[in-house]
Amino acid sequence: MTTYRIGEAADLLGVSADTIRRWVDAGRLAAGRDEHGHRIIDGVDLAAFARAQAADPDAGAELSSARNRLRGIVVEVRKDAVMAQVDIQAGPFRVVSLMSREAVDELDLRVGSVAVAVIKSTTVVVERAAPGPARGRAT
């Protein structure tokens, strides 16, 4: 059975350890204690909690077959004559998109604006992560 300490759970959910403690204290998230008295959270319980906390899809999502939607803030825009690169920070994840300059201009994508990265792919690689802080990068 996989269990997580408070800090590990916080890293996985992208919140502070204090937030996890408050959720546990309020009874929103179940936790037990290990042999040393440290709070631990069962992996199945954490997964169920994460799913229940997932935000509703953005408006317009019902009109698309894509289900992977990451809302974030545009942190960088690089444009040349034809192409552009847009970097979005969506929680702990950096998403980099290459698109036409025309699309960037039409969407008025600028540093500081909110954007949604819609990801649809027939190839999604899933790796088993080593224990430790969550560091994600979606491309």
Side-chain angles (χ1 to χ4, degrees):
M1 174 172 77
T2 302
T3 59
Y4 298 94
R5 293 183 66 171
I6 295 292
E8 293 170 323
D11 285 340
L12 290 170
L13 296 185
V15 299
S16 70
D18 285 340
T19 297
I20 297 290
R21 285 187 197 93
R22 281 193 297 275
W23 287 340
V24 168
D25 292 343
R28 292 181 59 197
L29 179 59
R33 302 257 179 198
D34 66 11
E35 64 276 3
H36 303 290
H38 297 116
R39 291 185 194 189
I40 55 171
I41 300 167
D42 179 86
V44 172
D45 292 340
L46 185 61
F49 182 81
R51 178 173 278 262
Q53 298 305 305
D56 290 332
D58 292 314
E62 67 276 357
L63 302 176
S64 174
S65 65
R67 298 292 177 248
N68 303 306
R69 306 174 74 79
L70 301 174
R71 187 170 198 255
I73 187 168
V74 175
V75 295
E76 186 172 2
V77 177
R78 289 189 223 152
K79 298 190 272 188
D80 66 19
V82 177
M83 295 299 294
Q85 175 180 319
V86 177
D87 291 24
I88 299 170
Q89 194 67 39
F93 302 102
R94 175 178 173 237
V95 180
V96 178
S97 179
L98 301 176
M99 64 185 80
S100 69
R101 179 189 178 117
E102 179 182 23
V104 170
D105 292 342
E106 285 178 5
L107 292 171
D108 194 25
L109 294 175
R110 294 184 250 158
V111 171
S113 59
V114 175
V116 178
V118 180
I119 303 161
K120 180 155 182 123
S121 177
T122 57
T123 304
V124 176
V125 177
V126 176
E127 298 176 341
R128 176 120 186 208
R135 290 185 196 109
R137 210 172 238 190
T139 57

